[in-house]
Amino acid sequence: MQSKEQIRNFCIIAHIDHGKSTLADRFLEVTGAVDKRKISPQMLDSMELERERGITIKAKAVRLNFLYKGKNYILNLIDTPGHVDFSYEVAKSLQGCEGAILLVDASQGIEAQTVANFHLALESNLKMIPVLNKIDLPSADVKRCTDQLCEIFGFKEDEISSVSAKDGEGVLAVVARVIEEISAPEGDIDKPLKAVLFDSLYDPYKGVILFLRVFDGKINVGDNILLMHQEKTYRVEELGVFLPHAQKQDSLVRGEVGYVCCNIKNPQEIDMGDTITSPKTPTQEPFEGYKKMSSMVFCGIFPTAPKDYPLLRDAIEKLKLSDASLVYEPDNLGSLGYGFRCGFLGLLHMEIVQERLEREYNLDLILTSPNVMYRVKKKDGGVLDIESPHQLPDSSNIEEVEEPFIKATIVTPVEGMDPLCDLAKSRRGEFVTMDYLGKDRLSLVFNLPLGEIVVDFYDKIKSVTKGYASFDYEFIGYKKTNIVKIDILLNKKTMEAFALLVHKEKAEVKARSVVEKLKDLIPRQMYEVTIQAAIGSRIIASARRAAIKKNVTAKCYGGDISRKRKLWEKQKKGKKKMKQIGNIQVPPEAFLEILRM
């Protein structure tokens, strides 16, 4: 059994694209966990989607064995995502660590997510090791970035290491610092078992696989374990560690990170952040569990074929295991049938969930327009949380509507200040403060309505600053607003799937753009189609799609005009009747195009 004094639990935190996964690859290489000939870029990013996009979506734990000064050390490394939408993964990872490597790109300097992750690690009382990466790049400015780390975070110059994760320069020195500076895990092997469940995934053969960090006691194959929040007992069928591939072991002891299989078939029996203990001698101090992350963006997910609804339900339940921040509930829209109303941490999170459902579970899906949660105060004193337009009560029963606001932090070069202020103003933003980060970078803080940033705000930031700005946000609360519901009508029949909640100032512009888009997307029918956008009973935008014309008088040669008129009148009545009873064919592409708007 390994002495706890020779165990180190640490993670790598940084802004997106600062080199976390590449540094993790070098750790695997220098500690001999993977043969140099077999190592591939982003070794820990096992998901196809992660490799395609070049981003980390899931935090990954790996166990490294390293001989240092004659002693064999166990290093449990967790590689974390950098994108703001996956900050929940970072927060979970920090719970199982005693230290963190704070990685900064030497050519970019400190960015928004660097600051956010630094404060997360500080709240968890972790020992931080500041490291500058990409020092091999021609554009690297080590002196400027060192000054930034000292000024903003209060590090001393001699505490900052420099590495090139690409070619391995300086990596061994960082491994040595991890061993010397990060404390060994606390905990007692003689105390009752106490472990935290920090992640899980679904395996079709083994059922639910639990990833855990043991704080006290030990766990053996064949033991019974109790999940305290769920109050359910299971028998341990298999356990082990990741090296980085799964390797079975007979036991896991205090301080170690590993996995457990208990033949759990129902994904809903698992609660992330649960305390795992022994049913005979349970721990007296269970963990509180993870702080629930509030969903920021909501949309409906529906199968293209209604018969696929059971498959979609099973897929979402299994996906929820590896993504605890996803929330969902059954939903039904007349035009789209049965599906789910899902909550996401952001738009990238929504995209990733959609792609994973389509790829990993072979589903064909339709998503409704993304929107945020509004709070409606009714005249009778009741309060409603509204996630979708069809939940909004009648305007005569509404006292006031509140919408969610965020505090947005944008780190940008000085020349990006004016276009960013203009962009924030166009999104109903309110300037809060500005700070200089060194000589050539600024931190701008705005209060913005969340509904204004969910679709394309991040892209616009990158566009107006030529890609140099970075963006982070946090939820600050609800404020009174003037929100209206726009209904889309096709031949006076309301289409719930196209309904929108929009600020009154932008209602007419938005309505006109949706109506014009639908006019182009809806195929011509045998009768005229009227497309209208309405707020209540008031029509604010309208367009017409002409009918397919058939020349009913083509066979009439000469003769009295009344014969032709009779045929035209008969055709007119027929089309009027068809318009009353006919169903307009709306292609799935129309839903997707309106979503992209």
Side-chain angles (χ1 to χ4, degrees):
M1 188 195 301
Q2 191 76 35
S3 162
K4 73 173 182 181
E5 300 306 321
Q6 284 156 251
I7 297 174
R8 300 290 182 271
N9 297 313
F10 70 103
C11 59
I12 306 173
I13 54 175
H15 187 81
I16 190 169
D17 210 25
H18 277 207
K20 295 178 295 301
S21 297
T22 311
L23 182 60
D25 289 346
R26 294 295 77 74
F27 277 134
L28 291 170
E29 196 179 293
V30 301
T31 57
V34 180
D35 191 293
K36 195 169 183 177
R37 291 167 298 176
K38 293 180 181 176
I39 201 158
S40 58
Q42 287 179 272
M43 188 84 184
L44 295 181
D45 290 348
S46 53
M47 212 187 293
E48 184 188 345
L49 207 52
E50 292 178 311
R51 291 180 174 278
E52 267 182 35
R53 290 179 175 245
I55 60 172
T56 301
I57 295 167
K58 287 290 302 167
K60 307 290 187 316
V62 63
R63 174 170 168 155
L64 312 170
N65 293 301
F66 189 65
L67 191 66
Y68 181 69
K69 292 184 178 178
K71 291 182 180 177
N72 190 32
Y73 286 88
I74 290 175
L75 310 178
N76 290 313
L77 159 67
I78 300 177
D79 177 29
T80 64
H83 198 282
V84 61
D85 280 16
F86 306 116
S87 54
Y88 186 67
E89 290 289 320
V90 182
K92 284 196 308 178
S93 305
L94 297 178
Q95 300 289 323
C97 298
E98 277 76 41
I101 292 173
L102 183 69
L103 199 64
V104 176
D105 184 334
S107 61
Q108 300 283 342
I110 288 172
E111 301 202 55
Q113 208 53 29
T114 317
V115 179
N117 287 339
F118 171 82
H119 289 299
L120 274 176
L122 206 61
E123 286 169 19
S124 301
N125 295 318
L126 300 192
K127 166 66 183 173
M128 270 178 279
I129 299 174
V131 176
L132 288 178
N133 188 23
K134 306 190 185 181
I135 58 170
D136 55 309
L137 291 180
S139 57
D141 191 339
V142 175
K143 178 74 175 75
R144 177 176 68 89
C145 294
T146 301
D147 291 344
Q148 280 186 2
L149 281 165
C150 296
E151 285 174 31
I152 298 165
F153 299 142
F155 292 116
K156 296 188 176 75
E157 205 168 312
D158 58 357
E159 289 181 306
I160 300 165
S161 295
S162 297
V163 302
S164 167
K166 190 176 177 183
D167 58 28
E169 183 187 340
V171 173
L172 270 172
V174 174
V175 176
R177 285 191 66 186
V178 166
I179 292 169
E180 288 178 358
E181 296 179 28
I182 294 175
S183 61
E186 294 179 358
D188 189 342
I189 197 165
D190 298 321
K191 282 188 176 179
L193 172 65
K194 180 183 178 183
V196 66
L197 171 63
F198 68 86
D199 209 349
S200 60
L201 63 82
Y202 188 83
D203 183 280
Y205 303 106
K206 297 178 182 178
V208 180
I209 298 175
L210 311 176
F211 299 141
L212 49 89
R213 152 81 195 269
V214 183
F215 282 86
D216 287 320
K218 67 184 288 191
I219 181 170
N220 301 308
V221 174
D223 285 356
N224 286 329
I225 57 168
L226 169 69
L227 270 62
M228 296 187 83
H229 292 187
Q230 292 280 6
E231 297 181 349
K232 292 194 176 175
T233 305
Y234 303 98
R235 186 176 185 273
V236 177
E237 303 291 340
E238 181 190 320
L239 54 79
V241 294
F242 293 98
L243 294 171
H245 304 293
Q247 180 173 309
K248 294 180 186 179
Q249 290 198 167
D250 293 329
S251 64
L252 287 173
V253 300
R254 46 85 190 100
E256 291 191 318
V257 176
Y259 72 88
V260 170
C261 302
C262 300
N263 205 15
I264 303 170
K265 295 300 181 190
N266 184 1
Q268 293 183 325
E269 292 178 21
I270 302 305
D271 190 7
M272 217 47 62
D274 206 340
T275 306
I276 294 173
T277 188
S278 167
K280 289 181 183 174
T281 53
T283 178
Q284 299 303 308
E285 300 167 2
F287 297 102
E288 288 180 17
Y290 294 130
K291 178 184 162 190
K292 298 287 183 196
M293 295 291 279
S294 301
S295 298
M296 294 289 179
V297 179
F298 295 86
C299 86
I301 297 183
F302 297 85
T304 308
K307 66 179 174 58
D308 288 341
Y309 174 74
L311 298 175
L312 175 61
R313 183 186 59 223
D314 293 345
I316 287 183
E317 282 179 5
K318 288 169 185 173
L319 190 65
K320 168 83 176 168
L321 278 176
S322 62
D323 187 354
S325 53
L326 171 68
V327 297
Y328 65 93
E329 61 181 35
D331 196 11
N332 179 21
L333 285 182
S335 49
L336 292 176
Y338 288 96
F340 290 91
R341 185 90 195 143
C342 298
F344 309 92
L345 297 182
L347 217 67
L348 177 66
H349 185 206
M350 185 181 86
E351 270 183 55
I352 296 296
V353 168
Q354 181 192 359
E355 284 203 43
R356 286 187 69 186
L357 286 170
E358 289 180 338
R359 287 185 188 202
E360 295 173 25
Y361 301 97
N362 297 317
L363 292 166
D364 197 7
L365 304 173
I366 294 173
L367 274 72
T368 61
S369 301
N371 55 283
V372 298
M373 185 183 281
Y374 297 96
R375 188 171 287 165
V376 177
K377 292 182 179 175
K378 294 160 72 177
K379 287 186 176 173
D380 60 9
V383 177
L384 285 176
D385 285 334
I386 301 297
E387 298 165 8
S388 61
H390 64 273
Q391 293 176 328
L392 191 74
D394 189 77
S395 56
S396 60
N397 193 25
I398 296 175
E399 182 69 40
E400 65 177 44
V401 181
E402 295 179 335
E403 68 176 324
F405 268 69
I406 54 132
K407 184 172 85 173
T409 304
I410 305 171
V411 176
T412 174
V414 174
E415 56 271 19
M417 183 176 77
D418 288 342
L420 284 172
C421 287
D422 291 341
L423 175 63
K425 191 177 176 183
S426 73
R427 300 297 176 95
R428 300 189 283 126
E430 176 189 305
F431 177 77
V432 178
T433 183
M434 179 186 79
D435 291 310
Y436 277 88
L437 305 176
K439 296 172 186 173
D440 57 347
R441 287 175 87 76
L442 292 168
S443 169
L444 297 168
V445 180
F446 299 96
N447 286 343
L448 285 154
L450 180 62
E452 295 283 351
I453 72 155
V454 293
V455 178
D456 63 346
F457 189 67
Y458 184 67
D459 295 339
K460 287 278 192 277
I461 286 174
K462 289 291 184 187
S463 176
V464 300
T465 61
K466 302 181 178 67
Y468 285 107
S470 61
F471 171 62
D472 181 39
Y473 65 83
E474 62 176 289
F475 175 68
I476 55 172
Y478 281 82
K479 293 186 181 179
K480 187 179 175 182
T481 188
N482 195 353
I483 293 291
V484 292
K485 178 188 176 186
I486 299 176
D487 284 313
I488 302 297
L489 295 87
L490 300 182
N491 283 353
K492 300 188 178 175
K493 193 186 287 184
T494 305
M495 300 291 288
E496 283 288 1
F498 291 130
L500 303 162
L501 292 174
V502 185
H503 193 269
K504 196 171 182 180
E505 284 176 14
K506 301 189 174 185
E508 287 193 25
V509 176
K510 185 76 176 174
R512 235 174 265 127
S513 63
V514 170
V515 164
E516 289 301 318
K517 195 76 178 172
L518 280 173
K519 182 185 170 187
D520 297 335
L521 291 169
I522 292 174
R524 289 174 74 185
Q525 316 283 319
M526 292 300 293
Y527 46 87
E528 184 184 71
V529 178
T530 308
I531 306 161
Q532 295 171 312
I535 298 174
S537 58
R538 187 168 66 93
I539 305 296
I540 57 171
S542 181
R544 292 177 189 277
R545 187 79 163 121
I548 298 170
K549 290 184 179 176
K550 181 183 177 184
N551 189 355
V552 290
T553 59
K555 293 179 182 176
C556 296
Y557 298 100
D560 188 31
I561 189 69
S562 61
R563 189 175 166 213
K564 288 185 178 181
R565 281 193 183 132
K566 192 191 269 185
L567 287 168
W568 286 331
E569 198 60 37
K570 192 177 176 184
Q571 183 187 38
K572 194 174 172 183
K573 283 180 181 174
K575 288 201 172 187
K576 191 176 180 183
K577 189 178 179 184
M578 283 174 70
K579 196 172 181 179
Q580 288 172 345
I581 63 172
N583 281 324
I584 297 163
Q585 297 299 312
V586 181
E589 302 83 65
F591 294 98
L592 298 174
E593 284 298 325
I594 299 301
L595 165 67
R596 289 191 187 106
M597 289 174 66

